């Protein structure tokens, strides 16, 4: 029986839905994933009472039913299901105004590097107001970090360095058929990826375990499990209009930005879904759509990273 995951290095079902992973690989990946469920339920195989030992076959074996609803999680285990975020300084000052403001020309002249990239770390106030030089009334709140940021809660969806490497590998290990056999050296590295590409890779990785956990709930019909409200709450937070994506800065970023906008909206819809237990068919349809869009995004990331800038 599958378990609830805290953080999955490679949720096999995601890759499988992308059409390029074997069942054996999926099983290995899930076994390596960290589980919060305390202990596992043993499955006892019993023979049909009308069959003799010599006539027993695999088809005659029956498994004793198990009650998956008994898999209760402690309060700390339920909290561990939440998506990782790190606190950061608010982009707003004490008066509620954005701390930094630039025109489109100023931000380019003062901060764009030789590769045509504008980047600020989280401790450098990456969220800034950018005004249109032709009309000062047009202001864009822009995220120049490489992570998704909730600007009201002042928290970032950022992986540590080791997990960022795992997130990159997760994408590389899930190539579409067109890119099978492509030498890893032909892909752009993490350092060569744009802010938005890095942010999307981190979000794919951070949402892999929650998607797996909802899949488990759907497959095992555990709609009354205490984990489901927490998982939906996390997707509602992800889908908040206050979550700001890294600003697109390349031609490829514009394609990616449209895809993540669509998925971001679905996160919010999934998180705000009311009474899943009473509307299972509609809930499952939305959930499977989120999962498929995530798989499509993994494929798109493979193609984008295989392109030179």
């Amino acid at each position: 029986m599958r378990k609830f995951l805290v953080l999955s290095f490679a949720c096999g079902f995601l890759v499988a839905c992308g059409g390029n992973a074997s069942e054996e690989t999926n099983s290995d990946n899930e076994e390596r994933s960290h589980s919060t469920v305390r202990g596992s339920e043993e499955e006892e195989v019993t023979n049909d009472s009308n069959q003799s030992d010599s006539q027993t076959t695999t088809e005659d074996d029956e498994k004793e039913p198990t009650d998956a609803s008994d898999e209760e999680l402690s309060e700390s285990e339920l909290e561990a299901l939440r998506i990782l975020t790190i606190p950061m300084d608010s982009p707003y000052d004490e008066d509620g105004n954005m701390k930094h403001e630039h025109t489109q020309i100023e931000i380019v002249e003062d901060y764009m590097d030789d590769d045509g990239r504008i980047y600020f770390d989280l401790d450098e106030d990456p969220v800034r107001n950018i005004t249109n030089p032709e009309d000062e009334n047009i202001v864009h709140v822009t995220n120049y970090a490489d992570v998704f940021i909730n600007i009201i809660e002042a928290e970032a969806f950022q992986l540590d360095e080791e997990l960022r490497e795992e997130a990159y590998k997760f994408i590389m290990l899930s190539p579409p058929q067109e890119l099978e056999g492509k030498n890893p050296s032909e892909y752009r590295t993490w350092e060569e990826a744009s802010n938005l590409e890095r942010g999307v890779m981190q979000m794919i990785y951070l949402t892999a375990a929650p998607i797996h956990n909802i899949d488990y709930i759907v497959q095992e019909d555990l709609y009354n499990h205490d984990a489901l409200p927490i998982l939906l709450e996390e997707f509602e937070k992800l889908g908040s209009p206050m979550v700001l994506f890294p600003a697109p800065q390349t031609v490829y970023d514009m394609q990616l930005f449209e895809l993540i906008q669509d998925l971001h909206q679905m996160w919010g819809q999934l998180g705000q879904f009311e009474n899943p237990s009473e509307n299972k068919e509609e809930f499952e349809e939305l959930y499977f759509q989120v999962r498929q869009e995530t798989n499509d995004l993994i494929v798109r990331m493979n193609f984008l990273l295989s392109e030179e800038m």
Side-chain angles (χ1 to χ4, degrees):
M1 179 177 292
R2 291 180 298 172
K3 308 300 182 183
F4 288 101
L5 304 182
V6 175
L7 190 62
S8 170
F9 284 179
C11 285
F13 80 92
L14 277 174
V15 182
C17 288
N20 193 49
S22 66
E23 293 182 2
E24 181 178 357
T25 300
N26 296 341
S27 176
D28 290 342
N29 286 338
E30 289 190 4
E31 288 177 5
R32 287 196 297 268
S33 300
H34 181 62
S35 170
T36 64
V37 176
R38 295 167 295 177
S40 61
E41 300 178 12
E42 296 180 354
E43 296 178 338
E44 298 180 1
V45 180
T46 59
N47 297 330
D48 190 301
S49 59
N50 294 326
Q51 298 289 334
S52 65
D53 291 343
S54 60
Q55 295 174 320
T56 300
T57 65
T58 303
E59 294 179 355
D60 295 325
D61 292 341
E62 296 180 355
K63 296 180 180 179
E64 289 187 358
T66 58
D67 185 3
S69 63
D70 289 340
E71 291 187 8
E72 296 183 359
L73 303 181
S74 69
E75 184 175 342
S76 61
E77 288 170 336
L78 288 171
E79 284 300 307
L81 297 176
R82 296 191 182 277
I83 295 174
L84 295 174
T85 60
I86 64 171
M88 57 178 290
D89 291 338
S90 172
Y92 299 98
D93 60 24
E94 294 179 355
D95 297 324
N97 300 315
M98 194 66 66
K99 293 178 182 177
H100 300 277
E101 184 170 320
H102 315 270
T103 67
Q104 292 176 345
I105 296 175
E106 289 171 346
I107 193 72
V108 169
E109 290 182 345
D110 296 342
Y111 296 103
M112 181 173 284
D113 64 20
D114 294 338
D115 296 322
R117 177 187 178 201
I118 302 172
Y119 171 79
F120 295 102
D121 206 345
L122 289 182
D123 59 2
E124 298 175 321
D125 296 324
V127 179
R128 305 189 174 211
N129 271 354
I130 305 299
T131 60
N132 189 320
E134 298 179 359
D135 187 348
E136 294 183 355
N137 293 320
I138 300 177
V139 180
H140 299 281
V141 181
T142 307
N143 174 9
Y144 287 108
D146 60 1
V147 294
F148 286 51
I149 294 174
N150 187 312
I151 58 176
I152 298 300
E153 299 297 331
E155 57 185 18
F157 297 88
Q158 184 182 56
L159 296 171
D160 61 31
E161 185 174 351
E162 181 179 349
L163 291 182
R164 287 197 293 268
E165 183 177 348
E166 291 293 339
Y168 178 80
K169 290 179 180 178
F170 180 46
I171 300 296
M172 294 299 99
L173 290 174
S174 314
Q177 291 183 349
E178 295 88 336
L179 297 179
E180 285 184 358
K182 190 176 182 67
N183 193 308
S185 64
E186 297 181 66
Y187 286 91
R188 284 184 286 124
T189 64
W190 175 272
E191 290 73 18
E192 294 170 326
S194 70
N195 292 351
L196 182 59
E197 288 169 338
R198 293 183 192 179
V200 168
M201 282 190 278
Q202 291 179 83
M203 294 308 294
I204 289 173
Y205 192 83
L206 284 168
T207 57
I211 290 176
H212 171 97
N213 290 333
I214 292 180
D215 184 77
Y216 175 49
I217 287 171
V218 168
Q219 298 301 330
E220 299 294 334
D221 196 21
L222 299 178
Y223 284 91
N224 293 322
H225 199 287
D226 291 341
L228 184 56
I230 290 178
L231 294 168
L232 296 185
E233 182 181 333
E234 292 304 290
F235 276 104
E236 183 176 7
K237 290 179 181 177
L238 285 178
S240 167
M242 295 298 103
V243 172
L244 208 59
F245 317 151
Q249 299 187 45
T250 70
V251 174
Y252 298 133
D253 277 354
M254 297 308 299
Q255 305 171 22
L256 187 58
F257 191 80
E258 293 179 3
L259 291 175
I260 196 61
Q261 273 188 316
D262 292 340
L263 184 55
H264 178 252
Q265 184 177 12
M266 291 181 197
W267 288 338
Q269 292 172 348
L270 185 66
Q272 295 174 2
F273 197 98
E274 296 183 357
N275 302 320
S277 61
E278 298 177 9
N279 302 280
K280 294 180 182 179
E281 185 174 346
E282 292 85 354
F283 178 79
E284 290 174 13
E285 181 179 356
L286 177 57
Y287 156 68
F288 285 122
Q289 188 177 6
V290 169
R291 192 176 73 174
Q292 185 58 51
E293 288 294 324
T294 303
N295 291 325
D296 292 344
L297 193 57
I298 293 173
V299 171
R300 175 52 55 187
M301 284 302 308
N302 265 271
F303 280 114
L304 291 179
L305 292 173
S306 69
E307 298 285 351
E308 294 183 2
M309 296 298 294

